[in-house]
Amino acid sequence: MMNSIHFPEDVTVQRFNPFFVFIMSFILAIAALGLPPEQPRKTSIAISNGGNEIRLVTPGLTRTIRIDGRGVATTSLKVPGGELLRQPGHEFGLQFQFASPNRKPQGLKPGEGGSINSTATFHSGGTDTLDVTGLGGPIDEGVRWVNPVTLQGDVSRENLEPFTATVTQPKDGTTRVTLRAPASAHGPLAGVSVTLVYEVYAGFPVVRKWMEIRNGSKNWMKIDHMLIDDVDIAAPFDLRSPLTPAERGAGSSLVAMANHEGTAGVIAASEVPSALRRITDSGAMGYTDELFEWVLGPNETFTSEPVFFFGFSGKTQQLQSGASIALDRAVEGPLQNFLRQQLGIASHSANLPAPTWVTWSNFVEHIDDAIVRRQADIAAQAGFRMFAFDSGWQKGELGAEIDAQKFPNFAATSEYVRSKGLRLGLWVSCFRDPDSKDLATLPDAASRPAIHRLNGLGMSFASSWREYYAHDLSAFANHYGVSYFKQDFTNIRFGDAAAEHESRTRKESLLRGLRGLLDSQDLIRRDAPSVTTEITHEIYWGTPGVPCDLAAIEHADLYHTPPNDYSGDGKSNQPWDPAKQYDTAKMQQGLIDGAYHARQRFYALRGLPLEAIEYYAAATFNGSGSLTPQIQDRQIVSWLMGAPQTFAGDLNSLTAENISHYHDRFQMLARLESTYGIYEHFQFSGVPAPTDVDWHWWGKLNDKGEGAVVVLRGSGGADSRQVVIPWVIPGQRYQLKTLFAEKALGTFAGRDLIKGKLKLELPHYGQEIIELSATR
């Protein structure tokens, strides 16, 4: 049966022969992608075989979709290095079940469901954890789920009519193919329709996809076991490399699937948030079965999060410092450009709160007006840009209502901080005191089962409270001149089955809650666009929680990634004691270890824009001489793998030399950022990975090859080393100078820097920033 194809009025269709239609070709400049000449230089949609075959062609990735008498399937996924699929996959998959009796599941009424008690603790491993007792009582939904129906794309004709295709251009540079199929009128899914949406983007080797499931029937049903894109990628493309960590119950959001030489493959990317994400070894992407379901009432639609494949290919370049492979070059360049330009990653270096000092490590919640003013005095002298109040400024350590005993005149305290040239940041949580204005306005806004922490209740992002929350923070920011909110505490993962809220089941509330949290970030940005928003791993799942992912930074500006690291900060929770003799050697090793932990963590997240990542924290604590200028430099350069955002520790402990040194170094970074925009760049291809034994380095260079190269030596290695800089323009000449040693290194041709003509000397645990500026 021939499937119908619908074209927008502004699309010209050219028929090359009766069986082939070629539409909407864009001439693209792809030199920046570093792609081989044989790759397509256009993004296009080609439809042939009477409308039954659709080819999505991009510069570096081609996907072919077949529609036939059995269903729909991707028959080919190609990069210039070859075919990735072992066989056609299922294209998508999900299960339907029906409510019996046919009605909406019932939720928990006030007072029902029991309670969950959570208490913050400190783990012997050196990070924050959460002790949880009680998981709430049983929930009677009032329905049973019966008559399961499994739907797979490649055999969808068992339950669906044929898919029809529509091609549109939702915006310049984006082409969309929409495949839609209604269920068979007399089958078990009558009234349901399934929509598959594919997008390609001018200049990028990307095919992005999402699904829509509409319930046009009178039945209540739920969907689960959902794969948004079910493909089967196999050998020789069977080398899996996570580009964000998979840990604490969450899979990676970016997984490279390459041949063993790293010369070709795809990056499988999922925009599903937090622990609900699933990427299989074969490249199928969807939701975690144990954590996902969605109830659809009559005339309701579920729209999935998008997923996408990003193609890469290219020759391996053998350098004196190591092999530069196509995968690494794609990650550090074209992928980052796509995330910023097409996905709208929220972070922007112009609004980064870098460098930031945070009150938490040595003061915890025990802050007041006098402590804040004293610490702000020193922070300003040290050159910090942002001063962030962590927990303790608000009543009951919760909400956004001021503790009037600690801060009798919060407006004056805020003004004092800003008068020092510091931006003001505040920590907030998703818990509220029982007598809070939130619960006075919205008495049923807390999650059910009740989630207790401190003396507060966990609030539900799967309710209208998320709008109240966003508007409240925006108004607070406008009133007190707040520039940054850090949002914390674990509630979403415990679920919410309150009858008055949006979730129909406690399991469904996991995705609804995460979506509500992310929606609230969009609302804050709309109402207070100058405010930087940050969500923590705790609010995004657990304590400690999951690593950063694509979804988080599509909505929030920053993400506080786990674990919290207190290395070298004296004794956490205790201010500096000038009368105490600290173990200087032990603390120095802790400070060095903390810097290494930061580099390891940033590198593990290299698939994401690293300036959006906060790793807590570089310890600003000098215990009996532990914090030397050399160790300060190691902190500065280690956090510069991303951006130098988070420092914490009692500033009273700093010497005049420490304060002056931080100030001068932060001024140096501000100049580099202003001149070259270094924070949003990170190059790592062809050079050693992070180590604290030998040498390693990375680039913070813009598209002209200008900016900074950061070089470190560990406990061993040679006293001097050739430093290969592969990320410059070969035909350009550069002036080089060291910024710590303040030494002019001379003028080099780019091709000589690539060949390793630059040689550098460093002591054990030494570091340097090399500035590169183009010259004639």
Side-chain angles (χ1 to χ4, degrees), residues 316-486:
T316 298
Q317 301 170 5
Q318 294 296 338
L319 307 171
Q320 291 188 23
S321 54
S324 173
I325 62 174
L327 168 60
D328 291 347
R329 297 194 300 270
V331 170
E332 69 190 14
L335 175 63
Q336 301 306 308
N337 293 337
F338 175 75
L339 298 182
R340 289 186 172 89
Q341 295 173 26
Q342 298 296 338
L343 293 198
I345 293 300
S347 68
H348 190 281
S349 58
N351 204 35
L352 283 179
T356 296
W357 184 82
V358 185
T359 61
W360 178 253
S361 288
N362 296 115
F363 297 104
V364 289
E365 70 273 17
H366 306 300
I367 58 172
D368 57 24
D369 178 80
I371 290 172
V372 163
R373 287 174 184 256
R374 174 58 182 154
Q375 296 293 307
D377 288 342
I378 304 171
Q381 295 171 34
F384 286 98
R385 182 183 176 196
M386 175 74 72
F387 186 95
F389 296 45
D390 211 286
S391 177
W393 63 270
Q394 67 279 76
K395 184 184 70 172
E397 303 170 39
L398 301 169
E401 297 179 57
I402 297 158
D403 186 326
Q405 291 187 331
K406 292 182 175 183
F407 296 94
N409 188 340
F410 193 75
T413 308
S414 303
E415 176 56 32
Y416 185 85
V417 171
R418 294 197 307 275
S419 74
K420 295 295 178 178
L422 297 163
R423 296 168 65 191
L424 175 63
L426 295 178
W427 175 96
V428 296
S429 84
C430 53
F431 282 66
R432 294 294 181 268
D433 296 297
D435 62 347
S436 67
K437 60 181 182 180
D438 303 58
L439 286 168
T441 305
L442 299 170
D444 296 321
S447 296
R448 231 174 273 146
I451 308 167
H452 297 279
R453 184 165 179 175
L454 299 173
N455 294 314
L457 290 168
M459 305 296 278
S460 175
F461 284 102
S463 75
S464 60
W465 178 76
R466 66 175 172 272
E467 288 90 3
Y468 181 95
Y469 168 82
H471 297 327
D472 189 37
L473 292 190
S474 299
F476 198 94
N478 292 330
H479 184 73
Y480 288 103
V482 179
S483 298
Y484 158 86
F485 285 115
K486 180 177 185 174

Side-chain angles (χ1 to χ4, degrees), residues 553-665:
I553 57 174
E554 283 184 60
H555 298 272
D557 296 299
L558 305 174
Y559 188 88
H560 174 112
T561 201
N564 294 343
D565 191 337
Y566 300 97
S567 300
D569 71 348
K571 187 171 183 180
S572 296
N573 310 338
Q574 293 185 9
W576 173 65
D577 182 354
K580 181 178 179 178
Q581 179 60 46
Y582 292 90
D583 187 336
T584 305
K586 180 179 179 180
M587 291 185 64
Q588 285 184 337
Q589 190 59 54
L591 291 165
I592 292 170
D593 290 345
Y596 181 43
H597 298 161
R599 300 195 305 277
Q600 288 180 303
R601 201 62 179 166
F602 282 124
Y603 190 78
L605 288 157
R606 63 193 178 277
L608 301 174
L610 293 186
E611 79 275 13
I613 308 299
E614 178 194 279
Y615 183 74
Y616 186 94
T620 54
F621 191 98
N622 191 337
S624 304
S626 61
L627 185 63
T628 65
Q630 291 75 25
I631 290 178
Q632 287 180 275
D633 283 346
R634 203 159 189 85
Q635 292 178 331
I636 295 289
V637 299
S638 295
W639 268 261
L640 189 55
M641 192 172 278
Q645 292 186 66
T646 313
F647 294 73
D650 190 347
L651 296 175
N652 288 313
S653 69
L654 300 185
T655 65
E657 182 183 33
N658 291 144
I659 294 169
S660 175
H661 199 74
Y662 275 133
H663 177 273
D664 292 347
R665 293 313 195 214

